[in-house]
Amino acid sequence: MQTAKLSPSMMCADPFALRETLEEFGRGGVEYLHVDVMDGVFVPNFTLGTDYCRHLKSHSPIPLDLHLMIDAPERKLDWFPFGAGDIVSIHVESTRHLQKALAAVRERGALPFAALNPATPLCFLEPVLEDLAGVLVMTVNPGFAGQKMIPASLGKIAAVRQMLDDSGRKDAEIEVDGNVSLENARKMRQAGANIFVAGTAGLFRKDRTLAGGIEALREATK
Ligand code: DX5
Ligand code: ZN
């Protein structure tokens, strides 16, 4: 089983305390900064964009985990700053050119992940198993923080893990995004996930400091 990693969801972070937040993440050794990019077309919301990514890159050494919830991402990859060590997730439903998009991410030295909405079947991964470094399994419908996990998600994570292992991709990672609470994180880990997007459910909470949240999530996912 791959090492468990944390990827705090930056759309949930206090925009007026970003410097302190990034310092805390540095101290906590978080592995990625999850950036939700929404275009109001692929999902019914607008969030973080290209300039925000550039600011993160210049203020923190932590690799980016770009979650592109945008139509035709293959035409827009050049707009984003990413390279070696960064993850770029391409939604299977967002493009007619999935292989091309994944290959373009790889070409720039980054880690191409294929993202699946809750209702998207695994078979879409089959033709691109060679092209991906990991799979992002959405455990809520993308667009908003603070939703409840869709119950079928745990079975889906296990099925993706099985599919990757059976096709000689034991090295490929599984990231989960949506309602990663301490309780759900434990179950997701058991099902085979190893990268956890920490949003309002597990990390950005009034009853926990960021340091305390990181520690609790580490404990839940070890
Ligand atoms: C959902 C976003 C997530 C979200 C997860 O569209 O991709 O990153 O912020 O956080 P919570 O814990 O609020 O579900
Ligand atoms: Zn996300």
Side-chain angles (χ1 to χ4, degrees):
M1 189 148 64
Q2 283 97 343
T3 321
K5 298 172 189 170
L6 292 183
S7 190
S9 175
M10 297 309 293
M11 73 179 268
C12 305
D14 177 355
F16 297 103
L18 277 183
R19 193 178 298 277
E20 295 76 11
T21 301
L22 291 175
E23 284 166 6
E24 200 60 73
F25 290 165
R27 280 191 289 274
V30 314
E31 286 80 2
Y32 293 103
L33 300 175
H34 186 84
V35 183
D36 285 309
V37 182
M38 304 188 189
D39 67 355
V41 179
F42 181 69
V43 284
N45 200 1
F46 291 105
T47 47
L48 311 168
T50 52
D51 284 341
Y52 183 85
C53 295
R54 268 185 278 279
H55 286 302
L56 284 186
K57 273 254 169 261
S58 57
H59 286 88
S60 170
I62 303 173
L64 296 185
D65 168 22
L66 292 183
H67 181 192
L68 300 182
M69 287 164 275
I70 60 178
D71 258 8
E74 71 281 359
R75 289 190 224 140
K76 299 157 190 166
L77 289 171
D78 289 349
W79 305 354
F80 291 90
F82 64 81
D86 298 317
I87 291 175
V88 180
S89 286
I90 305 286
H91 265 272
V92 164
E93 313 83 2
S94 69
T95 175
R96 279 172 278 187
H97 303 287
L98 179 62
Q99 195 282 335
K100 187 176 168 182
L102 294 171
V105 171
R106 178 90 78 190
E107 187 69 24
R108 280 174 59 183
L111 301 163
F113 278 40
L116 298 175
N117 277 338
T120 305
L122 313 197
C123 58
F124 281 88
L125 298 173
E126 268 167 34
V128 293
L129 283 169
E130 303 275 296
D131 302 288
L132 47 81
V135 177
L136 170 61
V137 178
M138 288 308 302
T139 49
V140 298
N141 284 298
F144 301 94
Q147 306 180 74
K148 285 274 150 274
M149 178 175 75
I150 290 165
S153 302
L154 294 173
K156 190 167 184 186
I157 295 164
V160 172
R161 187 68 268 162
Q162 190 74 49
M163 181 184 202
L164 292 170
D165 291 353
D166 291 349
S167 48
R169 292 305 315 271
K170 282 194 197 305
D171 59 306
E173 304 191 273
I174 298 185
E175 177 173 8
V176 280
D177 188 6
N179 197 203
V180 180
S181 62
L182 297 183
E183 193 192 339
N184 288 339
R186 237 171 248 122
K187 296 177 187 162
M188 291 162 170
R189 178 65 168 155
Q190 269 168 14
N194 76 293
I195 303 177
F196 300 86
V197 177
T200 60
L203 184 60
F204 299 95
R205 298 173 59 102
K206 291 210 168 65
D207 61 349
R208 238 173 254 157
T209 60
L210 287 177
I214 291 169
E215 210 182 297
L217 280 164
R218 295 273 188 218
E219 182 61 33
T221 58
K222 68 179 186 209

